[in-house]
Each structure stands twice: as C-alpha cells, then as structure tokens.
Amino acid sequence: MLTYDLKKSPGVPLYEALYRCIRSDILSGKLTPGQKLPSKRALAANLEVSKITVEAAYNQLISEGYICAKEKVGYFVEQIEGFPKAPAPRSAPVEPSQTENTVDLTAGGSVQFPFSVWSRLQRGVMLDLGESLLRPLPNQGHPGLRRAIAEHLRAFRGMDVSPENILIGAGTDFLYNLLIQLLGRELVYAVEEPGYGKIRQIYAAGGARCVDAPMDELGVMPHKLGQAQVLHISPSHHFPTGLVTPPARRLELLNWAASGNRWIIEDDYDSEFRFTSHPVSTMQSMDRRGRVIYMNTFSKTLAPSIRISYMVLPPALMAQFREKLGFYSCTVPSFEQHTLERFLTEGHFEKHINRMRKAYKNKRNRLVELLKNSPIADRITILEQDAGLHFLLRIRTELDDGALTARWAQAGIRIRALSEYYHGTTPPQDERCLVMDYSGLTEEDFSRLETALKEL
Amino acid sequence: MLTYDLKKSPGVPLYEALYRCIRSDILSGKLTPGQKLPSKRALAANLEVSKITVEAAYNQLISEGYICAKEKVGYFVEQIEGFPKAPAPRSAPVEPSQTENTVDLTAGGSVQFPFSVWSRLQRGVMLDLGESLLRPLPNQGHPGLRRAIAEHLRAFRGMDVSPENILIGAGTDFLYNLLIQLLGRELVYAVEEPGYGKIRQIYAAGGARCVDAPMDELGVMPHKLGQAQVLHISPSHHFPTGLVTPPARRLELLNWAASGNRWIIEDDYDSEFRFTSHPVSTMQSMDRRGRVIYMNTFSKTLAPSIRISYMVLPPALMAQFREKLGFYSCTVPSFEQHTLERFLTEGHFEKHINRMRKAYKNKRNRLVELLKNSPIADRITILEQDAGLHFLLRIRTELDDGALTARWAQAGIRIRALSEYYHGTTPPQDERCLVMDYSGLTEEDFSRLETALKEL
C-alpha cells in the first residue's frame, strides 16, 4: 500500500501533496506502467485522509495522463512512451478509459476516420498555400470553407444558405457562448427535457436563465414553453430519445417563434447519419421569417479533436453579429479550415459519411440481433426512428432504473437510463428505458455483449 | 550566376522584382532543390543593385520556404516535396487592405515565420501520431504541450509553473470569456486607460461591468481602482504607451489584490520581444497568495492564424475551473497542439524568437534613424522603454490630434494618436503623441516613409 507522510508539505492542499507524491513515484519508476493503485477508499484509510482528497489527487493524475481509471476495476499507472525516463513524453494522448471486460454503451466513438486522405490534403494545403496560411482570417471563418459548407448543406440537406451567413467556430461550446452574447443573456432559454445535459451547463455558465422544454411524442410542445424566448432543439434527431419532430409540429414551433420575435436554435448534430434517403427538411429551410439559427459540427462526423463547428444565422442576426461582436477573432486555425474545405469540395466527406452510415447501420443491426436472440428478448422493445447512433430499449422489469443499470454493470455493460437525462423535471415513473449508444462498439464488444446479455 | 533584368518591372520595388524572378526559377525547376544561390554580395554586384535589395529578396524567399539559409555556408533552394509542380493557391485568403502608397503604422505584422520547420514538424506529427490525433483531448489541452509551455516559461520568464495549472484555448478572446465565467460576471473588471479597446469590448460582451484603471508613469494606480475586483493589466509592456511597471508598483498591486480577495489578470502578450536580457519578472512569479492569472498567446510570436493561447491559473482557481467548467471541450485541434509542442521542445521557438527580436530591433532602429534625419527631427521626442513592437512619438505642433493624423495620412502614413486609445476618460490635452507600430514595416515601407516624412 502506498504510504506518504502528507504532513511534510505545509501550505500545499492535501490533495495536491498526495498528487505530487504519487506523480513523483511514477516519474521515478517506483510505480510502474500498468501497476494498479489502491482504491480511493483503501488509500484514504491508509493515509488517514478523506476519500475526497484521494479522489481529487487521482483526478489530477488522470487529467495529466499519469494514471487512468478503468470503470469498476480501479486505477492504473499509464503506459506512456518515455515513462519513466524523464519529463518529456512526446505524448500519446490519454486514452478514454475502458475496462478490459466492460462494454460501454454510453460513450460514442468515431470510426474509420479517413486518415490517409486527410494527411494528403494537409500536405497539399501546406505546399500550395504556404505563407498565406499565416494571415489573419475573416472572423466568420475562411470564405472557401464557408462556400464548401453552403454547398454541402445544399446537397445533403436541401438547404439554401449563403456563405456569408455562415460563422465558423472552434466547437459548438464556443458557438453557444457567442449566441448568448448575440441574442442576450437576459433572455430565457428553453432546452429539451429530457436532453443533453451539457447544453444546459453551457447556457448556465454563460449567465442565461435556462428552463425546461417538455416534450410529447412529436417533440417539444410550443404551448408549454412559458416565458422562453429562445428554444434550443434537435428536431431531426433528439438525444437521447431519437425522436424526429414531424413537419406539422415544426411549423407550430416556427409560428411560436415568429409570433413573439423569439429564436429557435436548431441543433442538427448528427443528421448525417440518417439511414434512409428522405430526411425531414430542416427548420432553417422552413423558416420564412428569419427566426432559426442552424448549428452543426464536424466533431461527430470526423473526430472530436478536429474542432470545427458552424452556424447559419438569419441575415439580420448576422448583421448584428458583425456590428456587436465583429471584434472577435476566428477561433479555428486557417490550416484546419483549408484542409476541411478540400475534404468537402473533393467529395471525401460524402464518401466518408456514406461509409460511416453503413458501419453504424451494421452495428445497429448486430446489436438489435443480439438483443433479439438474448434471454431478455421477450421483455424488451426497441424504440427508434430512422436516424442516429443510438436507440432506446424499453424493458419490462420490477427493478427501478438504479437497480437496473447496476445489474447491467455487474454483467459488464456500462449503460445509462433515460431518466438520467432529465435535469429539471421528474422523469416518468412508469417505464424503464435504457439509452443504447452503439457508435463506439468494437468487434470485441459484440462478443462480450453476447456473453453479458446471458448474465442479466 | 543568376542574371535578371530587374528594370523590366516598373512600379514594383527592386527587391520584390528580384524575389519574383528567383521564385519563378524555383517553381519552373530552373533552380533545383539543394542548389546553392550566390552570396548576397556577389549577386548584388552581378545585378548592380544594393546588398540590402538582395537581402530583402532572400529574406522573403526564406520566409515563404523557397530557400533556406545555412549559417556560414550560404543560401540553398529548399527541398520541399511537391515543388515545383503547382503555382496555384486555390484560395488565397483575403489580404488585409492596404493602399498602394500608404505606409501603415497601425497594423502589426508577423515576419519570417519558420514555415519550412513548421511544415516538417506537421508531417512528423501526422506520421508519428496518426490515429491517436483523433481522440478527444483533456479539456485543459494536450499534456505534452502544457509541459512544453511550462518549460518555456521557466527558461524565458523564470516562472515556476506546473503544467496542470495551464489551460490552453483557441485565442485570448476565448480565454477571457472563460475567465468571466470562472471569476463571475457580477464582479467589476478594471482595464487599463488608455489601453487596447478590444479587451473592454470582450468583457462587456461577456456581461461584466468594466471600469477604467487610470495610470501614472509607473503603471496602474492601486488607490484609483475603486470598486474593481479584477484588474486586467499588461505590466511588462503596456499598449500603447510601452510602459513597464517597476517591481515596487507590482508589489503594491499584488497587495491590493491579496487584501481584498481580488484578481489580477497579467497579460504578457509581447514579452518575448524585449530587446535586453533582464526583463522584470512576472507578477505571477511574485504572487505568493494565488491572486494572479497569467496569460499569453502564440498569435503575436508565430502567426495570428495559429489560434493557440494559454493561461496559468492559481491552483485553487484551476480546481474551481475543473469543478464548474470542466464540461467544456478543449478548443484547439490536437494536431496544432502537438506541432507546437515539438516546435517548443526542439528549440525552434527560441531560435524563432531570437530572429524576430533582431528583425524588430532592426526595424525599430531604422525607423528611429529615419525620424532623426527627417525635417521634423527637431520637433519630436521618442518615448519608449526596453520592450515591444511600438513606441510613442511626441510632437510639438499647433495641430490637434485629428488634424495631425490627417496631415500624416495626406503624406501617405496611416497612424493613430495616443488619445484614440482612451475609452472611458478624457485624454490629456496638453501633448500630441502618435503610436508607432513598426512591426509590419517592409523594405518598401521604409523608402516610402523617407519620402513621406519630407512632406509633413
């Protein structure tokens, strides 16, 4: 068991002292890559500190890549090239932790990134553009990329968008923050309930008041929006229910917006992964009165580490952006913008999306097959619409959600209940639904799943 | 020996004509990779131009990666894969507008970006790291880059900073916004008066109340800070006055912060360009009570289109960031972060900074020389301290600032008066000061300036 005399570091918080001790042991080689660390509880007892102190120290070590956490297994010293030699691992990024024997149905994953194409385009951009890559970019983003995105939206989404109404930013987190500044933080923002919790956190951090937008089986209900002046919505594929809002409800929502000078932020985050060919058209396309802000990102379709998102503003709002916030610099490096421009205009993105869609569809089908042939087959219903990277699994059981997900965890499956995506209201109590995100499943996961489902 | 008829290009400066001729020979394959170019002296003699003209042309070719200089050996055509095929930038970004005959003393400019080194590192990052570049990064930024920055700060600024207290973001605009969310928008933020207007705009857009931090000849005056709880300050080189705040005043400001649980944001934006070797140490280093947030950016030192900035938070504030804002994704692509990591750890940044410092110092000296030999020499005083990319020019004149800058504009010089940097208070009326930013001046600009100064 690790034993340190933490009293030796006056003026340094306890967790920091502990963190330093462990880090020092890793750097010196006393703790070796792959070695398991004591559990938080055990180490806390041994050192006579609180579990929170140990947790804080472990978290810091994780964030710096010294150790990793394996769900339900424990904490391990990381395998990083260059350890334990010296300070400078040139740096394999930290792997998202995954236990050896756990299948994770909560974390998405990007597959089949066209790495060699992307690398070739990067080299071409460097050679062709040279110094000109170093010049400051227009704050809305590189015009060529904006043209390419407009063309992509025309071809894939039937949208008629002018490049000058597109604004490129380093991720949707950043763009939401811009929107709060543009629309005003004194407005009331409604977010889908249930929904993706991070959006709520960002609006709150930006100083805006956030309320629930309750949903029925068609999507957000306009008459339940109360005092809201901005509605953040993902009508083409709601997370986590998978709901696709039909055109009639979309029109109702557009009327809600137009009638009160309100705004709709249409978050189209995974529309590329629709499995059939006739998607519902975007609300942005249906909007005749300039109330819809369209948002999308390349993080889901390419890779999370490529930080390029964009939004399409109504022309009047873009004019306001230029006037009020035109001092902001563009947040995306020009090199990345030019590479993505070529990736789009040369047709690689289309091919990539088609490949991804097939891969995801295969994963979805295999998962459905597994479930249908599993011992729980007679107790489950798969709820899905024609879209996305996840579906809902309704289960007849006497267990509550906590006990249910705990049982799955025991069997080696990490999963979340739908109720975990309710933030402002009480989730319905009458049914048990699990959210199955299959996008990150590997071959190995499928065989593990087959075994695990038998243990439920 | 290279021979060109440089007279053939009317309206184009001589060095530019020479640069174009050589570039064209490289692109056409007449000059081949690895081939040695004539020495500056020999080529100047052969073409009957000055050595300075040849030097300017060579410098431009180096900065664009067409040729490289080998210390004590000479100049060589670069080995760049893909040359000499394609001339065709498929989309050169929009050039900042500049009138043909106007010298711009308001816009900064980056010189001599080490493009070929950067390209080589980019290729290496792609080859070595491959798919791992696609994984999500820790939200504080790539640990390897944070270690490299900590090491850089130790070596260049004598700062003792832990990589885990560094937070990397896509530009300072973004980081200021994070700080507002972290410290609280209900606090009162003081910004230097006079100062850089954009900082004020960002705090206002973020919803924070902004007040003036009046300055005397030592910097911001602590007893004039009124209700302010956060002070944004650039003590090592104030813009636009060039003022360097001495240690005693820094201590007073630190006491002001510590005595009221207030915060100081130390903006060290151009500290790398100090011309002598003993810079004043940072306030972050002097701070014993965890009240200073240190900020810096690579936009000034590398290129505005490389969107990488960072801040160093006091440990307690970083813990708060993780707790309150840990849901934010890192905004800088991993590819850029790894490239910069190598640029720093392999010593290229240090070399680059040394080259830049020399280049800026030369520009500064030439501008001072021009002014001292101009017809206005007896009416001007140059106000500067040992730092930065600009100085103040005090002029004895009967004109007010508006008339003065208008007269300079007529002579073909775009320039701003110090009074234009006062935002919240009335500028002093008793003297005329112009802000001379010389960082973007080209060979051509200097000869135009010489003429223009005679017309004042």
Side-chain angles (χ1 to χ4, degrees):
Chain A
M1 175 67 77
L2 300 176
T3 304
Y4 302 111
D5 184 2
L6 298 178
K7 304 289 172 320
K8 271 185 194 159
S9 320
V12 173
L14 218 51
Y15 87 95
E16 171 95 15
L18 176 56
Y19 148 82
R20 287 188 195 170
C21 291
I22 301 176
R23 185 184 61 172
S24 156
D25 278 358
I26 294 173
L27 289 172
S28 71
K30 202 166 146 193
L31 288 169
T32 54
Q35 187 173 341
K36 190 174 177 186
L37 295 174
S39 73
K40 289 179 284 190
R41 185 185 305 269
L43 185 55
N46 186 48
L47 299 176
E48 296 178 350
V49 299
S50 78
K51 207 178 131 200
I52 289 174
T53 300
V54 178
E55 186 164 9
Y58 277 13
N59 283 344
Q60 188 151 339
L61 289 162
I62 290 171
S63 78
E64 289 176 37
Y66 289 105
I67 68 170
C68 63
K70 296 188 182 175
E71 194 74 29
K72 312 266 177 217
V73 182
Y75 296 87
F76 296 84
V77 177
E78 261 289 17
Q79 295 272 10
I80 296 189
E81 187 196 330
F83 271 1
K85 277 202 312 285
R90 143 173 313 202
S91 60
V94 187
E95 273 268 33
S97 64
Q98 194 162 4
T99 319
E100 214 158 312
N101 293 310
T102 297
V103 178
D104 195 342
L105 281 164
T106 68
S110 175
V111 294
Q112 301 179 346
F113 180 80
F115 197 74
S116 62
V117 173
W118 189 262
S119 300
R120 182 164 51 74
L121 294 176
Q122 285 187 316
R123 284 196 299 274
V125 165
M126 278 192 269
L127 285 170
D128 297 347
L129 301 179
E131 280 261 318
S132 66
L133 287 171
L134 306 172
R135 298 201 193 107
L137 280 164
N139 59 356
Q140 283 179 236
H142 166 48
L145 176 56
R146 286 188 272 131
R147 281 191 294 270
I149 289 173
E151 181 50 36
H152 165 71
L153 290 175
R154 196 197 59 69
F156 270 70
R157 291 299 257 146
M159 291 168 68
D160 180 19
V161 161
S162 159
E164 75 234 37
N165 293 322
I166 293 177
L167 197 156
I168 291 165
T172 44
D173 299 4
F174 173 76
L175 293 177
Y176 297 154
N177 270 296
L178 272 191
L179 276 182
I180 296 168
Q181 299 189 1
L182 187 57
L183 304 178
R185 67 176 50 79
E186 70 284 3
L187 301 189
V188 177
Y189 290 68
V191 295
E192 291 160 327
E193 172 81 346
Y196 183 45
K198 188 176 175 182
I199 292 167
R200 211 175 270 261
Q201 290 178 297
I202 293 172
Y203 285 123
R209 204 178 122 209
C210 228
V211 298
D212 297 309
M215 302 174 68
D216 62 13
E217 72 288 355
L218 300 180
V220 166
M221 297 176 280
H223 64 283
K224 297 263 187 166
L225 286 171
Q227 295 305 306
Q229 291 142 301
V230 184
L231 171 61
H232 187 117
I233 189 177
S234 45
S236 294
H237 190 225
H238 173 253
F239 183 84
T241 66
L243 194 75
V244 178
T245 300
R249 176 61 62 87
R250 292 178 185 224
L251 280 175
E252 284 177 53
L253 288 166
L254 286 169
N255 285 334
W256 167 83
S259 67
N261 282 328
R262 302 182 183 105
W263 300 103
I264 290 176
I265 300 172
E266 179 179 24
D267 191 344
D268 206 28
Y269 70 103
D270 72 351
S271 62
E272 288 85 357
F273 300 124
R274 199 158 301 97
F275 297 151
T276 59
S277 51
H278 295 295
V280 178
S281 77
T282 62
M283 293 183 69
Q284 199 274 349
S285 309
M286 299 167 76
D287 175 30
R288 294 279 165 272
R289 285 169 286 189
R291 311 310 306 175
V292 174
I293 296 145
Y294 175 89
M295 288 206 128
N296 210 333
T297 177
F298 291 95
S299 300
K300 278 265 172 194
T301 44
L302 286 168
S305 64
I306 291 172
R307 306 301 306 163
I308 311 187
S309 302
Y310 61 94
M311 54 186 179
V312 182
L313 298 184
L317 202 57
M318 184 57 94
Q320 266 186 54
F321 168 81
R322 293 201 191 100
E323 194 194 319
K324 276 175 60 179
L325 301 176
F327 55 82
Y328 276 121
S329 307
C330 183
T331 43
V332 182
S334 61
F335 183 67
E336 243 77 13
Q337 296 196 48
H338 281 91
T339 306
L340 181 56
E341 176 196 4
R342 293 185 180 195
F343 193 76
L344 287 164
T345 56
E346 295 181 8
H348 304 295
F349 188 65
E350 186 176 347
K351 278 184 213 147
H352 169 65
I353 287 297
N354 289 338
R355 261 197 313 271
M356 296 271 281
R357 200 183 291 126
K358 270 183 215 148
Y360 287 138
K361 192 166 187 175
N362 284 339
K363 287 184 186 194
R364 179 239 163 237
N365 290 346
R366 286 181 68 180
L367 180 56
V368 170
E369 199 65 24
L370 272 187
L371 289 166
K372 285 192 175 158
N373 292 315
S374 76
I376 59 167
D378 57 339
R379 287 181 283 139
I380 59 172
T381 317
I382 289 166
L383 307 173
E384 65 177 336
Q385 293 192 31
D386 165 47
L389 311 178
H390 56 86
F391 56 71
L392 291 186
L393 189 71
R394 188 190 289 153
I395 305 195
R396 275 181 290 112
T397 173
E398 296 303 305
L399 303 175
D400 66 14
D401 280 343
L404 183 62
T405 52
R407 175 173 292 186
W408 284 57
Q410 266 170 8
I413 305 173
R414 192 171 171 224
I415 198 159
R416 287 207 190 101
L418 176 57
S419 58
E420 295 178 51
Y421 295 92
Y422 283 78
H423 303 277
T425 63
T426 311
Q429 299 301 309
D430 51 343
E431 62 174 24
R432 305 274 72 81
C433 272
L434 299 176
V435 181
M436 316 280 280
D437 182 340
Y438 47 80
S439 66
L441 294 180
T442 62
E443 281 304 311
E444 224 175 334
D445 287 335
F446 279 111
S447 52
R448 280 200 212 114
L449 256 181
E450 191 167 2
T451 316
L453 287 172
K454 289 180 187 145
E455 290 168 23
L456 285 178
Chain B
M1 176 66 79
L2 300 176
T3 304
Y4 303 113
D5 185 0
L6 299 177
K7 301 289 170 324
K8 270 185 194 159
S9 321
V12 174
L14 220 50
Y15 87 95
E16 170 95 15
L18 176 57
Y19 150 81
R20 286 186 196 171
C21 291
I22 300 176
R23 185 184 61 172
S24 156
D25 279 358
I26 293 173
L27 289 172
S28 71
K30 205 167 146 192
L31 287 168
T32 53
Q35 189 173 340
K36 190 176 177 186
L37 295 173
S39 74
K40 290 179 283 188
R41 185 185 307 268
L43 185 55
N46 186 49
L47 298 177
E48 297 178 348
V49 299
S50 78
K51 208 178 128 198
I52 287 173
T53 301
V54 178
E55 185 165 8
Y58 277 13
N59 283 344
Q60 188 151 341
L61 289 162
I62 290 171
S63 75
E64 292 178 30
Y66 290 104
I67 68 171
C68 63
K70 297 188 184 168
E71 197 75 30
K72 312 251 179 235
V73 182
Y75 296 87
F76 296 84
V77 176
E78 261 288 19
Q79 295 273 14
I80 297 192
E81 191 193 329
F83 270 178
K85 278 201 312 289
R90 76 172 57 182
S91 52
V94 187
E95 274 270 31
S97 64
Q98 192 163 4
T99 322
E100 211 160 317
N101 292 310
T102 297
V103 177
D104 194 342
L105 281 164
T106 68
S110 174
V111 295
Q112 300 181 346
F113 179 80
F115 197 74
S116 61
V117 172
W118 190 262
S119 301
R120 181 164 52 74
L121 294 176
Q122 284 187 317
R123 285 195 299 273
V125 166
M126 277 191 270
L127 286 170
D128 296 347
L129 301 179
E131 286 263 321
S132 68
L133 288 170
L134 305 172
R135 298 199 195 109
L137 280 164
N139 60 356
Q140 282 179 237
H142 166 47
L145 176 56
R146 286 187 272 133
R147 282 191 291 270
I149 288 173
E151 182 49 37
H152 164 72
L153 290 175
R154 195 196 59 70
F156 271 70
R157 291 300 256 146
M159 291 168 69
D160 179 20
V161 161
S162 160
E164 72 248 28
N165 292 322
I166 294 178
L167 197 156
I168 291 165
T172 43
D173 300 3
F174 173 75
L175 293 178
Y176 297 154
N177 269 295
L178 272 192
L179 276 183
I180 297 168
Q181 298 188 1
L182 188 57
L183 304 179
R185 66 175 52 78
E186 71 284 2
L187 301 188
V188 176
Y189 290 69
V191 295
E192 290 158 329
E193 171 81 346
Y196 183 46
K198 189 176 176 183
I199 291 166
R200 211 176 269 260
Q201 290 177 297
I202 293 172
Y203 285 123
R209 206 179 121 209
C210 228
V211 299
D212 296 309
M215 301 174 69
D216 62 13
E217 72 287 355
L218 300 180
V220 166
M221 297 176 279
H223 64 283
K224 297 263 188 166
L225 286 172
Q227 295 306 305
Q229 291 142 300
V230 184
L231 171 62
H232 188 118
I233 189 178
S234 44
S236 295
H237 190 226
H238 174 253
F239 183 84
T241 65
L243 193 74
V244 178
T245 299
R249 175 62 62 87
R250 291 177 185 224
L251 279 175
E252 284 178 52
L253 288 165
L254 285 170
N255 285 334
W256 166 84
S259 67
N261 282 328
R262 303 182 183 106
W263 300 102
I264 289 177
I265 300 171
E266 179 178 25
D267 191 344
D268 205 30
Y269 70 103
D270 73 351
S271 61
E272 288 85 358
F273 299 124
R274 199 158 300 96
F275 296 151
T276 58
S277 52
H278 296 294
V280 178
S281 79
T282 62
M283 293 183 69
Q284 199 274 349
S285 310
M286 300 167 76
D287 175 30
R288 293 280 165 270
R289 282 169 289 188
R291 310 312 303 175
V292 173
I293 296 144
Y294 176 89
M295 288 206 128
N296 210 335
T297 177
F298 292 95
S299 301
K300 278 265 171 193
T301 44
L302 285 168
S305 64
I306 290 173
R307 306 301 306 163
I308 310 185
S309 301
Y310 61 93
M311 53 187 178
V312 181
L313 299 184
L317 202 57
M318 184 57 94
Q320 263 186 56
F321 168 81
R322 293 201 190 102
E323 193 194 319
K324 276 176 61 179
L325 301 175
F327 56 81
Y328 277 121
S329 308
C330 183
T331 43
V332 181
S334 61
F335 183 67
E336 243 77 12
Q337 295 197 48
H338 281 90
T339 307
L340 181 56
E341 177 195 5
R342 293 184 180 196
F343 193 76
L344 287 163
T345 55
E346 295 180 8
H348 305 296
F349 188 65
E350 186 176 347
K351 280 184 211 145
H352 170 65
I353 288 297
N354 288 337
R355 263 196 311 271
M356 296 272 282
R357 200 184 291 127
K358 270 184 214 149
Y360 286 138
K361 192 166 186 175
N362 285 339
K363 287 185 185 193
R364 179 241 164 236
N365 290 345
R366 288 181 68 180
L367 180 57
V368 169
E369 200 64 24
L370 272 186
L371 289 165
K372 287 193 173 156
N373 293 315
S374 76
I376 59 167
D378 58 340
R379 287 182 282 138
I380 60 174
T381 317
I382 289 166
L383 307 173
E384 65 178 334
Q385 294 192 29
D386 166 46
L389 312 178
H390 56 86
F391 56 73
L392 291 185
L393 189 71
R394 188 190 289 153
I395 304 194
R396 275 181 290 111
T397 172
E398 297 302 306
L399 302 176
D400 66 14
D401 280 343
L404 182 62
T405 52
R407 176 174 291 185
W408 282 59
Q410 265 170 10
I413 305 174
R414 193 169 169 228
I415 199 158
R416 286 207 191 100
L418 177 56
S419 58
E420 295 178 52
Y421 294 92
Y422 283 79
H423 303 278
T425 62
T426 311
Q429 299 299 310
D430 51 344
E431 63 174 23
R432 305 276 72 81
C433 271
L434 299 176
V435 181
M436 316 281 280
D437 181 340
Y438 47 80
S439 66
L441 294 180
T442 62
E443 282 303 312
E444 221 177 334
D445 287 336
F446 280 111
S447 51
R448 281 202 208 109
L449 257 180
E450 190 166 5
T451 317
L453 287 171
K454 290 180 185 143
E455 289 168 21
L456 285 178

